[in-house]
Amino acid sequence: MISIEKSSQTKIDKTDFDNLTFGQVFTDHMMISDFKDGEWHEPVIKPYGPLSIDPSARVFHYGQAVFEGMKAYKDKDEKIWMFRPEQNFERINASSKRLAIPEFPKDFFFNGLETLLKLEKDWIKQGFGNSLYIRPFVIATEAGVSASPAKEYKFMIICSPAQSYYSGEVRVKFSDKFSRAADGGVGFAKAAGNYGAQFYPTNLAKEEGYQQIVWTDANSHEYLEEAGTMNIFFRIGDKLITAPISDRILDGVTRKSVIALAERMNIPMEVRKVTVQEILEAADSGNLKEMFGSGTATVINPITGFGNKGKNYDLPKLEDSYAHAFKDTLMKIQYNEAEDPFGWRYEVKE
Amino acid sequence: MISIEKSSQTKIDKTDFDNLTFGQVFTDHMMISDFKDGEWHEPVIKPYGPLSIDPSARVFHYGQAVFEGMKAYKDKDEKIWMFRPEQNFERINASSKRLAIPEFPKDFFFNGLETLLKLEKDWIKQGFGNSLYIRPFVIATEAGVSASPAKEYKFMIICSPAQSYYSGEVRVKFSDKFSRAADGGVGFAKAAGNYGAQFYPTNLAKEEGYQQIVWTDANSHEYLEEAGTMNIFFRIGDKLITAPISDRILDGVTRKSVIALAERMNIPMEVRKVTVQEILEAADSGNLKEMFGSGTATVINPITGFGNKGKNYDLPKLEDSYAHAFKDTLMKIQYNEAEDPFGWRYEVKE
């Protein structure tokens, strides 16, 4: 049994669920588990509130921190669903391992998560596009500035209500100078440091009129790898292409779901290195039909155009876009409005 | 005038200055400046204690955090000295810029730092090797998990008394798989995420009997770049070699001081790419005389041997080592026991 300390008041009545900014409002409770004396301790649920952490804690100085992003959905019968949560559980432990953080026990993760979701179920609103964004994360809390792995950590889960994520027109810039990850580095992990490192290059791209960067390989900048916080897909003719995962590229849950769906939908799918050159040629010849990003927050994010070394390209507006088909199919599975041939849905039972 | 809230008690009497572990004990006060409403606010000095931070703060999720390492020394006349602090000030702002953190004003930095040091002067012990380790750092404190630069930060300085850093015998492993930084990445910055990312590969190296990793370029692993938290120097015959700084390699203050001293001491110095191959050949022919790391915490750290792809090499024990000469010369300058031809010393005046 997970200990629950209930909040004496709720913020839910003050929350405008029709005007949510992503990741700004958090629910009334949070899950915390402490790693101390060599082991993870049973999670507890407490009122959402500030953490008291020593200024010398490793997370502040050495970036020992990883996270995940997940969502919970409510169907027409008030049932609560998640989407492939075991993938996020496995990935946060893979991220932790690379950051020398002790792996978290599976039963603590699922018991803590489900207990929290049931407690916060009123925060999950019905309606296609509404969801509860779930943020599990681990931070190194041990005091002391020696550059070595901490012996104390917090594994936490916080939740934020979300609406359908519409990011407006997304134009991307192919990176020809900055990089996101090195071979043999931590690019595949959801390590906190990977994200802060993208802000400055992304700001520069924004000044040039782009919303995100498509990261290329650090060595040659000839291969297209990942877009900001999303994996990226290219459609040339009827063929869909995405880069293979590597130690530089995040093994996205939405990415692998799109790949599986493509096969089922008889869409020719190639998982292989994608060159800048072939995309430019396809754009010039009119064969580049679509580009889109995939990720938990956005599901599928269509890209309307891109820039490469100062030259801009527009993508056509398609009636029968793959992006739209994948988004619709994925969301219908997530909201229990369609068959789930892959067994991806996960019910949070009362 | 910087506002000072004095601690009601001191930990100094309970501190065993003869048995200090690096970075574990902190002094009674800390400096804090908040960035809010678009500007840095005048630093304040408060009793050292835990920070209260929202669990959704950017530093926990996106690693927007940078730091510096500096030291203060007390000479025989009780005067307090620092070593090239303007270099650390410039570097923390260079690191901040790359992490999309607003740069910190120079007067806030030096006023805050000096006020803090004067308040904590009893923590700086006389004696060659004793020092006060100073840790300026910046963390993104704004609440909210959207992946974009924070609008709120804390710039802090905490201090920890230190003894001469003796790390025991240091054997290093040349990295042939893992990497520290990508071209176009954040390797040159003292970004928190760069350090946590090294812990796991370093743990694996430790299991093989090495204390640190010498990082090679991510692309070919043919060039030797940096060692753990230090820059690295190689002596072949009488010639000293170190890699040039780049966007992957930290512009170390001790590193650049060694390069300047080498010229003055008529030691042939080459700043150029160093190949694994030439070091192996020099080791085989008996021409590899020394390897040493340089950094603020350790000053100069002699390396006693190295491993490359499973083969181990020992370095000779020299009577007239460069490592010893540099360490002695640097420390005498730092402790005001020798001439300071470069104007590196900086007095913290009452």
Side-chain angles (χ1 to χ4, degrees):
Chain A
M1 275 300 292
I2 287 176
S3 130
I4 301 176
E5 181 194 334
K6 277 210 182 176
S7 174
S8 59
Q9 50 190 20
T10 178
K11 291 171 285 189
I12 201 166
D13 303 327
K14 290 174 211 132
T15 302
D16 180 357
F17 285 84
D18 294 324
N19 291 291
L20 295 167
T21 303
F22 182 79
Q24 291 301 308
V25 172
F26 292 87
T27 63
D28 296 321
H29 301 88
M30 59 188 185
M31 188 206 91
I32 307 186
S33 168
D34 285 308
F35 185 90
K36 222 171 174 170
D37 305 322
E39 59 176 6
W40 286 106
H41 292 258
E42 176 106 33
V44 296
I45 288 173
K46 300 209 306 186
Y48 185 94
L51 303 173
S52 175
I53 302 189
D54 195 274
S56 70
R58 296 288 202 287
V59 62
F60 298 139
H61 301 268
Y62 303 128
Q64 240 195 321
V66 299
F67 71 95
E68 272 301 323
M70 315 165 75
K71 279 181 176 173
Y73 315 92
K74 194 174 264 178
D75 72 13
K76 287 165 182 165
D77 300 322
E78 301 264 323
K79 283 184 181 164
I80 298 169
W81 300 92
M82 301 194 66
F83 185 71
R84 309 184 77 178
E86 76 291 344
Q87 296 283 332
N88 301 91
F89 169 72
E90 284 168 19
R91 192 171 60 186
I92 201 167
N93 274 346
S95 298
S96 285
K97 187 177 175 193
R98 183 60 181 83
L99 272 286
I101 296 171
E103 295 173 42
F104 195 62
K106 189 168 186 175
D107 58 332
F108 282 4
F109 181 81
F110 280 96
N111 287 345
L113 175 62
E114 295 193 35
T115 306
L116 181 62
L117 288 180
K118 282 182 259 186
L119 190 64
E120 306 293 51
K121 68 179 179 213
D122 293 343
W123 288 86
I124 314 172
K125 297 295 179 192
Q126 286 176 316
F128 210 55
N130 293 329
S131 66
L132 189 67
Y133 182 78
I134 301 161
R135 171 58 61 94
F137 65 104
V138 195
I139 53 175
T141 50
E142 193 194 3
V145 296
S146 66
S148 57
K151 294 186 189 73
E152 293 171 15
Y153 300 86
K154 282 188 192 298
F155 190 113
M156 300 187 58
I157 302 179
I158 56 177
C159 303
S160 174
Q163 290 174 278
S164 198
Y165 192 95
Y166 175 67
S167 45
E169 188 172 271
V170 173
R171 298 184 69 84
V172 296
K173 177 183 176 165
F174 291 178
S175 186
D176 53 9
K177 181 178 166 202
F178 292 106
S179 308
R180 183 185 166 277
D183 281 315
V186 300
F188 72 90
K190 282 189 90 75
N194 288 341
Y195 294 80
Q198 297 186 40
F199 292 166
Y200 174 70
T202 304
N203 279 352
L204 295 182
K206 282 180 177 167
E207 287 169 15
E208 296 176 46
Y210 307 101
Q211 281 71 49
Q212 294 221 17
I213 288 176
V214 178
W215 298 103
T216 49
D217 66 297
N219 182 33
S220 69
H221 297 294
E222 286 173 12
Y223 299 98
L224 294 159
E225 304 203 321
E226 206 176 308
T229 56
M230 306 185 291
N231 294 110
I232 188 163
F233 290 79
F234 303 87
R235 175 180 175 182
I236 299 181
D238 287 336
K239 194 171 61 186
L240 199 58
I241 316 171
T242 196
I245 57 167
S246 69
D247 54 5
R248 294 191 304 271
I249 302 184
L250 189 80
D251 184 12
V253 179
T254 312
R255 173 189 174 278
K256 68 175 75 167
S257 303
V258 166
I259 293 169
L261 279 178
E263 193 181 350
R264 195 174 165 87
M265 291 157 79
N266 292 316
I267 291 172
M269 173 83 234
E270 292 181 6
V271 179
R272 59 159 174 84
K273 287 189 167 191
V274 185
T275 66
V276 173
Q277 193 54 38
E278 70 176 312
I279 299 304
L280 298 182
E281 284 169 11
D284 284 337
S285 68
N287 282 325
L288 184 67
K289 302 294 185 192
E290 290 183 75
M291 286 169 51
F292 58 85
S294 69
T296 293
T298 179
V299 192
I300 300 292
N301 203 332
I303 292 165
T304 56
F306 68 95
N308 183 67
K309 294 185 178 163
K311 195 174 165 196
N312 284 309
Y313 301 80
D314 289 310
L315 285 161
K317 285 194 175 68
L318 299 186
E319 287 292 315
D320 58 340
S321 90
Y322 287 171
H324 183 263
F326 285 123
K327 183 160 191 170
D328 191 63
T329 305
L330 276 169
M331 286 182 68
K332 280 184 173 149
I333 294 173
Q334 290 167 339
Y335 286 82
N336 192 25
E337 293 187 8
E339 249 192 296
D340 177 21
F342 300 97
W344 286 338
R345 268 196 304 265
Y346 178 97
E347 190 180 350
V348 181
K349 290 186 179 139
E350 278 299 321
Chain B
M1 274 299 292
I2 287 177
S3 129
I4 300 176
E5 181 194 335
K6 275 210 183 177
S7 174
S8 59
Q9 50 191 18
T10 177
K11 291 170 287 188
I12 200 165
D13 304 326
K14 291 174 208 133
T15 303
D16 180 358
F17 285 85
D18 294 324
N19 291 290
L20 295 167
T21 303
F22 181 79
Q24 291 301 308
V25 172
F26 292 87
T27 64
D28 296 321
H29 301 88
M30 59 189 186
M31 187 207 92
I32 307 186
S33 168
D34 286 307
F35 184 89
K36 221 170 173 171
D37 305 323
E39 60 176 3
W40 286 106
H41 291 258
E42 175 107 35
V44 296
I45 288 173
K46 300 210 306 186
Y48 185 94
L51 303 173
S52 176
I53 301 189
D54 195 274
S56 70
R58 296 286 203 288
V59 61
F60 297 139
H61 300 268
Y62 303 127
Q64 238 193 324
V66 299
F67 71 95
E68 270 301 322
M70 314 165 76
K71 280 180 176 173
Y73 315 92
K74 194 175 264 179
D75 72 12
K76 287 165 180 162
D77 299 322
E78 302 263 323
K79 283 184 182 162
I80 298 169
W81 299 92
M82 301 195 66
F83 185 72
R84 310 185 76 177
E86 76 291 344
Q87 295 284 331
N88 301 92
F89 168 72
E90 285 168 18
R91 194 171 58 185
I92 201 166
N93 274 346
S95 298
S96 285
K97 187 177 175 194
R98 183 60 182 82
L99 273 285
I101 296 170
E103 296 174 42
F104 196 62
K106 190 168 185 174
D107 58 331
F108 283 5
F109 182 81
F110 280 97
N111 288 345
L113 175 63
E114 295 193 36
T115 306
L116 181 62
L117 288 179
K118 282 182 257 185
L119 190 63
E120 305 294 52
K121 66 178 180 214
D122 293 342
W123 287 85
I124 315 172
K125 297 296 178 190
Q126 286 177 316
F128 209 55
N130 293 330
S131 66
L132 189 67
Y133 181 78
I134 301 161
R135 171 58 61 94
F137 65 105
V138 195
I139 53 175
T141 51
E142 194 195 3
V145 295
S146 67
S148 58
K151 293 186 190 74
E152 294 171 14
Y153 300 85
K154 282 187 191 299
F155 190 113
M156 300 187 58
I157 302 179
I158 56 176
C159 303
S160 175
Q163 290 174 277
S164 197
Y165 193 94
Y166 176 67
S167 46
E169 188 171 89
V170 173
R171 298 183 69 84
V172 295
K173 177 183 175 166
F174 291 178
S175 187
D176 53 8
K177 182 179 167 200
F178 292 104
S179 307
R180 183 184 166 277
D183 281 317
V186 299
F188 73 90
K190 283 190 89 77
N194 288 340
Y195 293 80
Q198 297 188 39
F199 292 166
Y200 173 71
T202 304
N203 278 352
L204 295 181
K206 282 183 177 165
E207 287 170 15
E208 297 175 46
Y210 307 102
Q211 281 71 48
Q212 293 219 20
I213 288 176
V214 178
W215 298 103
T216 50
D217 66 297
N219 181 33
S220 69
H221 297 293
E222 285 173 15
Y223 299 97
L224 295 158
E225 303 203 322
E226 205 176 310
T229 56
M230 305 184 293
N231 293 109
I232 189 163
F233 290 80
F234 304 87
R235 175 181 175 182
I236 298 180
D238 287 335
K239 194 172 60 187
L240 199 58
I241 315 170
T242 196
I245 56 167
S246 69
D247 55 5
R248 294 189 305 271
I249 302 183
L250 189 80
D251 184 13
V253 179
T254 312
R255 173 189 174 279
K256 67 174 77 169
S257 303
V258 166
I259 294 169
L261 279 178
E263 193 183 349
R264 198 177 165 85
M265 293 156 78
N266 292 316
I267 291 172
M269 174 83 234
E270 293 180 4
V271 178
R272 60 161 174 82
K273 287 190 167 192
V274 185
T275 66
V276 173
Q277 192 55 37
E278 70 177 311
I279 298 304
L280 298 181
E281 285 169 11
D284 285 336
S285 68
N287 283 325
L288 184 67
K289 301 295 184 192
E290 290 184 75
M291 286 168 51
F292 58 86
S294 68
T296 293
T298 180
V299 191
I300 300 291
N301 204 330
I303 291 165
T304 56
F306 67 95
N308 183 67
K309 294 185 177 163
K311 194 174 168 194
N312 284 308
Y313 300 80
D314 289 310
L315 286 162
K317 285 194 175 67
L318 298 186
E319 287 293 314
D320 58 339
S321 89
Y322 287 171
H324 179 79
F326 286 123
K327 182 161 191 167
D328 191 62
T329 305
L330 276 169
M331 287 181 68
K332 280 183 173 147
I333 294 173
Q334 289 168 340
Y335 286 82
N336 192 24
E337 294 189 8
E339 249 192 298
D340 176 21
F342 300 97
W344 286 338
R345 267 197 304 264
Y346 179 97
E347 190 179 351
V348 180
K349 290 187 179 138
E350 279 300 321

